[in-house]
Amino acid sequence: MDDLQFRRTIYADPKSQDEALLAALQADPTKKQFAQELNQLDDKIAQALNIPVPDDLSDKLILRQTLASHQVQKRKKRFHLALAASVAITAGLLVNFTLFSSAHSNLGDYALAHVYHEQGDFSNSDTARVDLTSLNKKMAAFNGNFTSSVGQLLSADYCRFDGMKSLHLVFQGKTSPVTVFVVPKNDQLSFSDSFSDNKLVGQSAAFDKANVIVVGDKNEPLSTWQEKLGNNISWSI
């Protein structure tokens, strides 16, 4: 067996029992030593690859797969929640735009829409009260001042009236809350001194600094409310 054939055979199978290979090993000590070294290397490789498999390997693999699947489901759930939140926000903005947009061309229509939008937020039996000092702190933003109380004030806060910063007051009425808006004057909404629908009635009064709008149910004497407001609000120059 020549050297080339010897190397091909020994590399292919160091433990080969081929007769020609065995004869070559017996005839040449160098080849025999080379074969021994190659066999030792082959044994070391076999030992290195002979790693015992842990008893709980299958359980660990199943657990890892389960955790990975759970993470995928969580990401999908977060995406669906984010999508639902986006839809809800968009719907809310659309409702607000529909209720409080330039579709309302006058003070009366806008005031009615505003009251209906917040109708469930106030009750005639609410016990909260706003004192005169707190009220006048907010009225100062409109250069106005209440000289005395005109009724039991349940709430006083700023609001957006057709995009304008306005004052939203809620008083205790005869049978249901009475809403008063103090709205800066502008040309976007036409003035309407009286307005109504099948449930609510309203009146507007124009002052130098602002329009004062009163909205209540049909049991409320709105003229009396407007008279009290006119007599108790002073406007700075």
Side-chain angles (χ1 to χ4, degrees), residues 141-177:
F142 306 93
N143 298 316
N145 182 76
F146 277 82
T147 56
S148 62
S149 175
V150 297
Q152 297 293 328
L153 183 56
L154 307 178
S155 173
D157 209 347
Y158 298 119
C159 70
R160 288 289 170 181
F161 197 99
D162 194 36
M164 297 177 291
K165 180 181 178 180
S166 305
L167 187 58
H168 185 170
L169 309 177
V170 181
F171 290 90
Q172 187 179 61
K174 290 180 64 177
T175 56
S176 63

Side-chain angles (χ1 to χ4, degrees), residues 84-100:
S86 298
V87 171
I89 291 172
T90 302
L93 291 174
L94 181 60
V95 169
N96 281 329
F97 178 79
T98 303
L99 288 174
F100 304 125

Side-chain angles (χ1 to χ4, degrees), residues 18-31:
D18 181 76
E19 292 182 359
L21 177 65
L22 294 176
L25 293 176
Q26 292 296 328
D28 189 340
T30 302
K31 290 180 179 178

Side-chain angles (χ1 to χ4, degrees), residues 44 49 52-53 72 74 92 109 113 116-117 140 165 181 190 198 213:
K44 289 181 180 179
L49 294 175
V53 178
V72 171
K74 283 179 65 179
D109 288 345
Y116 280 123
H117 181 63
K165 180 181 178 180
F181 296 106
S190 61
N198 59 342
I213 306 165

Side-chain angles (χ1 to χ4, degrees), residues 206-226:
F207 295 89
D208 290 339
K209 300 294 183 179
N211 294 314
V212 177
I213 306 165
V214 184
V215 181
D217 64 29
K218 294 183 181 295
N219 295 317
E220 286 296 333
L222 296 191
S223 297
T224 302
W225 278 97
Q226 281 289 14

Side-chain angles (χ1 to χ4, degrees), residues 176-218:
S176 63
V178 174
T179 300
V180 175
F181 296 106
V182 180
V183 183
K185 288 191 172 182
N186 73 63
D187 298 328
Q188 295 181 12
L189 297 174
S190 61
F191 183 83
S192 50
D193 55 359
S194 62
F195 50 91
S196 64
D197 62 8
N198 59 342
K199 292 183 179 180
L200 301 175
V201 293
Q203 290 185 5
S204 304
F207 295 89
D208 290 339
K209 300 294 183 179
N211 294 314
V212 177
I213 306 165
V214 184
V215 181
D217 64 29
K218 294 183 181 295

